[in-house]
Amino acid sequence: MDLLMFIFLAVFPVISDGLIVHSRSGPLFASLGSSVVLPCYVNELLLMKDLRVEWRRTDSETLVHLYQDGESRPEEQHKDYHHRAHFFTDQIQHGNFSLRLDNLRAEDEGRYTCRVYSQQDSGETVVQVKDVERLLVSGSEKSISVSVGEDVTLNCSVDSHIKPEHIEEVSWRKTDGDEDILVLLFQNNKTLQDSSDEQYRDRAEFFTAEIPKGNFSLRLKSVRTEDKGVYMCQVFAGGLSANATVELEQLGFSILHTMALILCITASGSTLLLCFIIHCKSPNKALSDSAVKKRIRTLGYLHVFLPNIMMSVAFVFWGVTEGFLYETVSCCALYILRPLMLLYVAPYLEKIITKALLRGTPEAI
């Protein structure tokens, strides 16, 4: 019965006390974030004195807007419609009481009643706003693989019909496991770089020229191993929120990583090789003591300097790739100080080598 009554009200004008109020015969369809006009008019001229026009939600009787005493009364509106519902004030004297509803939200879907009161008569009509589009956010369906040190793009697109000024907030967060790290934030039509977590500051950015098209993809520069995980693009618009996730996985080795690994292996190999050569050369009696001492001294210097220099360079490559400045400086300083300490004790090497030759073993070197 209620359904039949609504169809009757939506399709035909309502006659109440002789005043015929017209509206649209069918429901209105609109996009989220757009504007829609709810029609309401009469075909006769009404006296402006004591004219009162109310727009209310049919289901809850919430006051959407009010025209009274010759002017709009926005102070009477429900707070959800402040600055969003407007009369065409200059058309009211001609019998046009239509209402424009801006920045449409999902909760605006439903029936609206336009009631007109005049000195002579009163009447009303019902308008339905139907199928307001929901907020849709799309990302990458497949996980993304990238080499450490390279740049990567994490896709995030918002419905193209929603204007950027209607989007309240877009945030990129790393939500892997128990983590909830803010990567980048777009709010009030601005990108807030300073709000990013320290490990992503100056490495994460939007494609600014693409934002008007609803493209909020994230460019992450100089990817690190700890960047691996799940990232969420969350969008707030028109009182709704939606999100899309992107997984960054299979972080491969970059050229710098490979070079650092080769240097570490080479440093270890050179240490073992030099130890073996020193061991073989020390008991060689075919050479004079001075020649033996000279060779052992040279090999000893190589044994201390060469692996440490290789490890220092390896840590420089690792630091450039991973971005760990303090750890890189500390490790490099350690490997540089070790050979410097050798130079400090160099005056005592002569005695150590002499004792080693007398014993015929290289352990003291």
Side-chain angles (χ1 to χ4, degrees):
M1 184 66 182
D2 291 338
L3 179 61
L4 292 175
M5 179 61 70
F6 167 70
I7 294 175
F8 178 80
L9 293 176
V11 176
F12 298 97
V14 177
I15 304 177
S16 175
D17 297 332
L19 181 60
I20 302 176
V21 182
H22 298 271
S23 182
R24 181 185 173 92
S25 60
L28 299 170
F29 299 89
S31 300
L32 188 71
S34 65
S35 298
V36 63
V37 175
L38 312 184
C40 177
Y41 60 94
V42 296
N43 288 331
E44 56 185 286
L45 294 178
L46 301 178
L47 295 176
M48 298 299 293
K49 185 179 180 180
D50 297 329
L51 178 66
R52 177 185 174 94
V53 181
E54 293 180 358
W55 274 98
R56 293 182 179 271
R57 294 294 298 257
T58 306
D59 51 355
S60 63
E61 286 297 314
T62 300
L63 183 62
V64 179
H65 209 353
L66 173 67
Y67 183 88
Q68 190 178 33
D69 298 330
E71 62 181 359
S72 297
R73 304 295 296 274
E75 68 276 5
E76 302 291 337
Q77 289 177 295
H78 189 273
K79 61 181 181 179
D80 289 343
Y81 297 98
H82 282 172
H83 309 297
R84 294 203 304 127
H86 309 277
F87 283 110
F88 297 90
T89 310
D90 59 339
Q91 294 295 316
I92 286 181
Q93 60 182 334
H94 303 297
N96 184 359
F97 311 117
S98 300
L99 185 77
R100 188 182 81 240
L101 189 57
D102 296 332
N103 193 16
L104 206 63
R105 304 171 181 173
E107 58 267 28
D108 292 334
E109 185 175 307
R111 305 174 191 176
Y112 295 79
T113 301
C114 173
R115 296 191 178 100
V116 181
Y117 302 91
S118 69
Q119 286 182 335
Q120 305 96 323
D121 295 304
S122 64
E124 66 179 45
T125 188
V126 175
V127 182
Q128 184 182 18
V129 177
K130 188 177 180 181
D131 294 340
V132 177
E133 293 186 37
R134 302 294 175 176
L135 179 62
L136 298 177
V137 180
S138 57
S140 300
E141 296 181 359
K142 298 181 180 180
S143 57
I144 300 175
S145 301
V146 64
S147 296
V148 174
E150 295 180 349
D151 297 348
V152 66
T153 298
L154 309 181
N155 294 323
C156 178
S157 298
V158 185
D159 293 339
S160 59
H161 69 273
I162 301 179
K163 298 179 180 179
E165 55 266 26
H166 295 151
I167 296 177
E168 299 159 11
E169 180 181 306
V170 178
S171 64
W172 272 99
R173 296 179 178 273
K174 187 181 181 187
T175 58
D176 197 20
D178 296 331
E179 292 181 315
D180 186 14
I181 302 173
L182 180 60
V183 179
L184 192 58
L185 178 65
F186 178 87
Q187 196 174 58
N188 299 324
N189 294 319
K190 294 180 181 179
T191 301
L192 306 179
Q193 292 277 2
D194 294 339
S195 62
S196 301
D197 187 83
E198 186 177 354
Q199 69 185 73
Y200 291 102
R201 203 164 295 166
D202 300 323
R203 292 201 302 127
E205 62 184 18
F206 289 114
F207 296 87
T208 309
E210 295 294 316
I211 288 179
K213 303 175 185 177
N215 184 357
F216 287 90
S217 297
L218 178 77
R219 177 162 58 197
L220 186 59
K221 298 183 287 187
S222 301
V223 173
R224 305 170 183 173
T225 52
E226 69 269 20
D227 291 337
K228 180 179 179 180
V230 178
Y231 292 80
M232 176 186 292
C233 173
Q234 190 164 20
V235 181
F236 296 89
L240 291 178
S241 67
N243 63 74
T245 57
V246 182
E247 184 175 6
L248 188 61
E249 64 174 12
Q250 297 179 359
L251 297 178
F253 287 111
S254 66
I255 296 177
L256 291 179
H257 273 90
T258 305
M259 293 178 66
L261 180 61
I262 291 174
L263 284 170
C264 290
I265 295 173
T266 304
S268 300
S270 65
T271 301
L272 295 174
L273 179 61
L274 288 169
C275 283
F276 177 75
I277 294 174
I278 292 173
H279 178 78
C280 293
K281 292 292 185 181
S282 295
N284 191 349
K285 302 299 182 180
L287 298 172
S288 63
D289 287 347
S290 60
V292 172
K293 286 191 287 185
K294 185 177 180 180
R295 286 197 175 187
I296 293 176
R297 184 181 292 109
T298 302
L299 292 172
Y301 279 121
L302 287 174
H303 179 260
V304 175
F305 276 93
L306 187 59
N308 284 287
I309 291 174
M310 289 182 178
M311 291 302 296
S312 295
V313 176
F315 271 103
V316 169
F317 287 154
W318 177 75
V320 169
T321 304
E322 298 294 334
F324 297 135
L325 177 63
Y326 299 116
E327 292 87 344
T328 301
V329 172
S330 300
C331 293
C332 289
L334 176 64
Y335 282 107
I336 292 173
L337 286 174
R338 288 176 66 184
L340 292 179
M341 290 182 66
L342 175 63
L343 294 177
Y344 179 76
V345 300
Y348 306 98
L349 288 179
E350 188 73 25
K351 294 180 180 180
I352 297 173
I353 294 172
T354 301
K355 290 181 180 180
L357 290 173
L358 291 175
R359 288 198 298 265
T361 59
E363 283 80 358
I365 306 302

